[in-house]
Amino acid sequence: MGQGLWRVARNQQLQQEVYSEQGYLSREQSRRMAASNISNSSHRKQVQGGIDIYHLLKARKSKEQEGFINLEMLPPELSFTILSYLNATDLCLASCVWQDLANDELLWQGLCKSTWGHCSIYNKNPPLGFSFRKLYMQLDEGSLTFNANPDEGVNYFMSKGILDDSSKEIAKFIFCTRTLNWKKLRIYLDERRDVLDDLVTLHNFRNQFLPNALREFFRHIHAPEERGEYLETLITKFSHRFCACNPDLMRELGLSPAGKGQADWDEGGFVFFLFLPDAVYVLCYSLILLSIDLTSPHVKNKMSKREFIRNTRRAAQNISEDFVGHLYDNIYLIGHVAA
C-alpha cells in the first residue's frame, strides 16, 4: 500500500516537472519572437529615408510586381548606379521602359569614355544638339569603318568632328581605344610613321623591368607575324623610349650611357661596349627569340638558362650576367613578350 502511494506521488511530481519545462520553453520562444519583431521593425525604420526602400522591395502582392522592381520608384542615385552596369545594347532596351533614366547623358558619357578613352571632342564645347548617346553611335560606326578600312575610319572621325587632323590626337585615340582591329591597326601604323612616333612617346616605362615593358609596348602596338623592316623599326623606337624613361636604371646595370661608346680589353681580345639603345635593342631581340623558343610546341630542345646567358653576352658583353639571368626567369615564368 505504501509503495503504491509513493509511485502515484512520484508520477505526479514528474508530470509537474515536464509541464514546467514546457512552459519555460514556450515563454522563451515567445520572448525571442518578440525580440525578432522589434529588431525587424527597427531595421525597417533605419532603412526608411524619404522613400521606404524596404517596403518597396518586400511589398509585391500581385504577379505583375514579382519581376524586377520599377527603377523610377527608387532614389535617382540608386537607379543610375544599377543602369551604369549595362552595356549600350541593354541600355537602349532599358530606355524603352525607363526613358528618362536610361537616356541620361551621364550614363552615355560613361559608356563613351570607358570604350574610347580619348577623343578630341571631349575637350571642346559641345555643339548645339549634341548628345553622348548620338556620339556613342558615331564612335561605334567609326570603329567598324576603321576595322574595314583604317583610312576611311579616321576620315569618318574627322568629318564628324570627333578627332582633329593631328598625328598626336590620332595617336592618343589609338592608345586609349581597345575596339580597333589589331591587324588593320598594324597596317595603318606601318603607313603612318608620324602617328607611330607619337604613339611610342605616350608610353611611360619608368622603373619597369625590360620584359614587362616590352609586353606593355606590344599590347598597344602589335608585333608583326614575321621578321622585317617594320619589326626592326618597332624595336628601335622602343629601345630609345625605354632608355629615355630609365637613364638611371640603365647606368646601375653597368651599361654605357647613350651616345658614349666605350672600349676595353678582355682575355679574348678587344671588346667594343655597345651604346645604351643598341644594348637594349640586342636584349629585345634576344627576348623575342627566347619567347619563341620556350613557348613554341615545335621546338623540342628548349634553350637553357646557361645557353641564353652565353648567347646574349656574346652579342653584348657589357651586360651583367645576373641581369640576363633575370630576363630568362621572367620569360620562363610569365611567357611570351609579344603574345
Side-chain angles (χ1 to χ4, degrees), residues 183-196 221 224 229-231 233-234:
K183 291 184 178 180
K184 297 294 183 180
L185 182 59
R186 187 177 62 194
I187 296 174
Y188 180 78
L189 293 176
D190 191 13
E191 297 175 352
R192 290 290 305 269
R193 296 300 176 92
D194 55 338
V195 177
L196 178 61
I221 307 174
E229 186 268 338
Y230 181 60
L231 178 60
T233 299
L234 291 181

Side-chain angles (χ1 to χ4, degrees), residues 68-330:
F68 193 81
I69 191 170
N70 188 358
L71 296 182
E72 293 179 347
M73 300 176 65
L74 298 178
E77 296 83 0
L78 184 57
S79 301
F80 288 137
T81 302
I82 295 173
L83 292 176
S84 65
Y85 290 98
L86 302 181
N87 56 28
T89 302
D90 294 335
L91 196 58
C92 288
L93 294 175
S95 65
C96 299
V97 182
W98 306 290
Q99 185 174 3
D100 293 337
L101 291 174
N103 287 331
D104 187 82
E105 282 291 278
L106 290 177
L107 291 175
W108 288 98
Q109 181 181 2
L111 279 176
C112 289
K113 293 188 175 182
S114 62
T115 309
W116 299 274
H118 176 82
C119 292
S120 303
I121 197 172
Y122 292 161
N123 303 320
K124 298 179 181 179
N125 293 325
L128 186 64
F130 172 84
S131 70
F132 277 99
R133 177 172 179 172
K134 180 180 178 181
L135 177 62
Y136 184 95
M137 304 304 174
Q138 292 175 342
L139 285 169
D140 187 57
E141 182 178 354
S143 297
L144 294 175
T145 305
F146 184 96
N147 293 337
N149 189 314
D151 292 326
E152 292 183 3
V154 173
N155 292 333
Y156 176 86
F157 289 131
M158 294 179 182
S159 64
K160 299 297 181 180
I162 298 174
L163 280 180
D164 293 339
D165 189 5
S166 167
S167 60
K168 291 184 178 180
E169 288 297 307
I170 298 174
K172 290 180 181 179
F173 175 80
I174 294 173
F175 186 80
C176 300
T177 303
R178 297 293 177 268
T179 59
L180 303 179
N181 183 276
W182 63 271
K183 291 184 178 180
K184 297 294 183 180
L185 182 59
R186 187 177 62 194
I187 296 174
Y188 180 78
L189 293 176
D190 191 13
E191 297 175 352
R192 290 290 305 269
R193 296 300 176 92
D194 55 338
V195 177
L196 178 61
D197 291 338
D198 291 324
L199 186 58
V200 172
T201 307
L202 293 175
H203 290 82
N204 183 12
F205 302 123
R206 180 69 177 173
N207 293 331
Q208 290 192 26
F209 194 38
L210 180 60
N212 298 333
L214 197 58
R215 289 189 185 94
E216 180 183 341
F217 179 76
F218 283 131
R219 271 198 296 268
H220 291 95
I221 307 174
H222 292 272
E225 298 175 354
E226 298 178 356
R227 296 186 190 179
E229 186 268 338
Y230 181 60
L231 178 60
E232 295 177 359
T233 299
L234 291 181
I235 298 178
T236 300
K237 292 182 181 299
F238 168 81
S239 302
H240 285 84
R241 181 59 183 168
F242 186 82
C243 295
C245 294
N246 298 281
D248 299 332
L249 177 64
M250 302 307 291
R251 292 192 184 94
E252 292 176 1
L253 296 175
L255 297 175
S256 59
K260 295 181 180 180
Q262 295 180 357
D264 202 352
W265 289 87
D266 66 356
E267 296 179 357
F270 183 77
V271 178
F272 181 72
F273 280 38
L274 297 174
F275 294 122
L276 181 57
D278 295 333
V280 176
Y281 181 92
V282 171
L283 290 177
C284 290
Y285 250 115
S286 299
L287 290 172
I288 293 174
L289 295 176
L290 177 64
S291 299
I292 297 173
D293 185 274
L294 295 182
T295 59
S296 176
H298 303 291
V299 179
K300 302 302 180 181
N301 298 323
K302 305 297 183 181
M303 185 183 300
S304 66
K305 185 175 183 179
R306 181 176 297 179
E307 291 174 338
F308 177 74
I309 294 174
R310 183 179 67 248
N311 296 337
T312 303
R313 299 195 74 233
R314 282 178 181 174
Q317 297 189 16
N318 55 331
I319 301 175
S320 66
E321 183 175 340
D322 292 338
F323 180 70
V324 179
H326 293 324
L327 295 179
Y328 183 93
D329 295 337
N330 184 278

